[in-house]
Amino acid sequence: MTAHRARLTEVDIRRLIKATDDDERASAAHKLCRSIDRADLDETDREAAQKIIRVLAGDTAELVRRALAVTLKSSDLLPRDVARLLAADIDSIALPVIGSSPVFSDEDLIEIVRAGSAVRQVAIAARPVVSRDVSGVLGDIGCEQAVRTLASNDNADLSEATLGTVVDRFGSSPEVVAALAYRQVLPLHITERLVSLASEAVREHLVSRHAVAPETAILLSGYARERATVDLIDQAGASADLETFVAQLNARKVLTASLLLRALARGKMSVFEHGIAELASTPHARAWLMVHDAGPLGLKAIYDRAGLPPRLFQAFRAGVDTWRQLSAEGADTSGENFRERMLERFMTQRPNAPRDDLAYLMERLDQPAQPAGRTLAA
């Protein structure tokens, strides 16, 4: 290793000293730094290498200092004092080190953030790892671009308080809201703040990726009649407490025949069972028995008790029978094939069905499968 160190200090540095212009010196500095970084150094070698690095950091040629910064930006061989020196240099030299160097302490990075340079704040926000303390300061005082970059960085540790601060400061910025929405993990209350601020596409991502409370799902479902942001059926199906969820839907006057028919048409039998039990003020266990009664009377009895429209009973009957048949066959009851089978069965059972009934079903059931989070017209 001593021979290798001598080769670095005597050959490469001699070339660096003898170079006649900045380009040559920068090229020599780059090769020297690359050799140092790749070498397997013991403590003595490391000290010698860092002396060379300090010499390069003090070079008057901007190209030489940039070669040093770019080549050793991710190396732990770069001394902390040299990293701080480079971070105070012009942007072309400072930014590579600020954005990547592992030798900075949180205090160093916070000091740079507080200095107020937008491009340097962005570089810190995009680092491979951003600690909770540094994220907190960026959230408090960072420029919009830096905060957007931070929110987009899933390797940045953002506390709930910092997330709240970001929403407070930049809730009117679609870019920042979208960046937050696409984080891998979000607290429930932050998700619910974002859904009221986000675009439709971002809201759909939020409610399909993150949990929302029933009240929020109900509120969002009313944003647009034909293109509701939240599909209440999907939200209900994902709920850990389906009974409470449908009770809240009923309290908000949205537990309708249309919603239950859509749930049944998409194979969400548990949503239908709990929904009809809620409307009929009947325990779920009893409602289940009546819905799945092999005879013709059980479903009709609870259907009438629930106050659902008589003209749609045959559609519900077709849905339950088709679901039962496909389930017995081990078939998928949640796909497009199920909806087609249900519609076909309804039309077969009621060849003389009123035109309005057929139009009603065709509008809601005979459609391509919708992406998760996108609702059919209710």
Side-chain angles (χ1 to χ4, degrees):
M1 182 56 63
T2 302
H4 186 65
R5 184 175 71 248
R7 187 162 63 251
L8 290 176
T9 58
E10 294 174 11
V11 178
D12 295 332
I13 294 183
R14 187 181 303 117
R15 181 186 170 203
L16 184 64
I17 294 172
K18 290 184 176 181
T20 57
D21 58 38
D22 289 353
D23 284 340
E24 268 192 89
R25 290 167 59 73
S27 177
H30 167 69
K31 291 181 180 179
L32 176 60
C33 291
R34 185 174 60 184
S35 296
I36 290 173
D37 191 37
R38 291 178 177 177
D40 184 13
L41 306 179
D42 60 23
E43 190 60 34
T44 302
D45 295 325
R46 190 179 182 89
E47 290 178 4
Q50 290 184 335
K51 288 180 180 178
I52 296 171
I53 291 171
R54 287 190 171 89
V55 171
L56 294 175
D59 198 290
T60 57
E62 175 186 327
L63 287 176
V64 173
R65 301 196 307 278
R66 176 168 170 73
L68 168 65
V70 170
T71 308
L72 296 183
K73 65 181 181 180
S74 301
S75 175
D76 62 1
L77 186 61
L78 191 68
R80 180 173 170 234
D81 61 301
V82 173
R84 287 176 56 88
L85 180 66
L86 295 174
D89 212 318
I90 61 175
D91 285 348
S92 63
I93 295 169
L95 293 179
V97 177
I98 291 173
S100 300
S101 179
V103 304
F104 288 119
S105 67
D106 282 356
E107 290 73 19
D108 295 331
L109 296 173
I110 289 171
E111 181 181 333
I112 295 170
V113 171
R114 293 191 184 282
S117 167
V119 293
R120 298 182 185 213
Q121 290 179 348
V122 171
I124 291 175
R127 283 172 61 87
V129 176
V130 185
S131 73
R132 178 164 292 204
D133 288 344
V134 175
S135 294
V137 176
L138 277 167
D140 286 339
I141 66 173
C143 67
E144 180 176 339
Q145 185 181 358
V147 172
R148 182 171 71 245
T149 301
L150 181 72
S152 300
N153 184 357
D154 272 312
N155 291 319
D157 184 0
L158 276 68
S159 67
E160 290 191 26
T162 296
L163 289 167
T165 298
V166 170
V167 177
D168 290 340
R169 293 184 64 206
F170 298 110
S172 60
S173 167
E175 293 81 7
V176 173
V177 169
L180 287 172
Y182 281 87
R183 288 186 65 79
Q184 292 182 3
V185 178
L186 282 176
L188 176 60
H189 79 278
I190 296 297
T191 301
E192 295 187 341
R193 290 189 64 186
L194 291 175
V195 292
S196 64
L197 301 171
S199 67
E200 181 178 349
V202 175
R203 281 197 296 265
E204 288 180 358
H205 171 81
L206 280 167
V207 299
S208 63
R209 170 89 189 195
H210 302 285
V212 296
E215 295 87 349
T216 303
I218 294 166
L219 173 65
L220 292 174
S221 71
Y223 275 12
R225 180 173 178 79
E226 297 299 322
R227 298 183 65 195
T229 301
V230 176
D231 193 321
L232 295 178
I233 295 170
D234 286 339
Q235 287 293 309
S239 174
D241 187 353
L242 185 52
E243 184 173 352
T244 298
F245 195 104
V246 297
Q248 294 189 24
L249 294 182
N250 192 28
R252 299 297 184 92
K253 310 296 183 185
V254 292
L255 188 61
T256 62
S258 173
L259 186 142
L260 291 181
L261 188 56
R262 286 170 49 227
L264 189 55
R266 291 170 59 184
K268 305 287 187 180
M269 179 58 75
S270 61
V271 176
F272 170 66
E273 293 166 356
H274 280 275
I276 201 168
E278 169 67 22
L279 291 174
S281 300
T282 299
H284 173 257
R286 179 170 176 75
W288 188 94
L289 290 173
M290 297 177 76
V291 167
H292 296 286
D293 185 350
L297 302 180
L299 178 62
K300 185 66 166 65
I302 194 167
Y303 185 91
D304 291 342
R305 186 182 303 175
L308 294 170
R311 68 189 180 94
L312 293 178
F313 174 72
Q314 289 302 326
F316 281 95
R317 174 84 269 174
V320 171
D321 290 346
T322 305
W323 183 91
R324 184 183 303 152
Q325 177 184 347
L326 291 180
S327 295
E329 297 171 358
D332 179 16
T333 59
S334 62
E336 181 66 14
N337 181 58
F338 174 79
R339 284 200 289 181
E340 291 176 356
R341 294 270 300 265
M342 175 181 164
L343 184 61
E344 179 184 356
R345 188 179 186 105
F346 168 76
M347 295 177 70
T348 300
Q349 287 184 351
R350 297 196 67 198
N352 299 316
R355 186 170 182 174
D356 287 348
D357 286 5
L358 291 178
Y360 181 91
L361 287 176
M362 290 293 289
E363 178 186 357
R364 289 161 175 77
L365 306 181
D366 194 21
Q367 298 180 15
Q370 300 291 319
R374 175 65 58 86
T375 184
L376 301 174

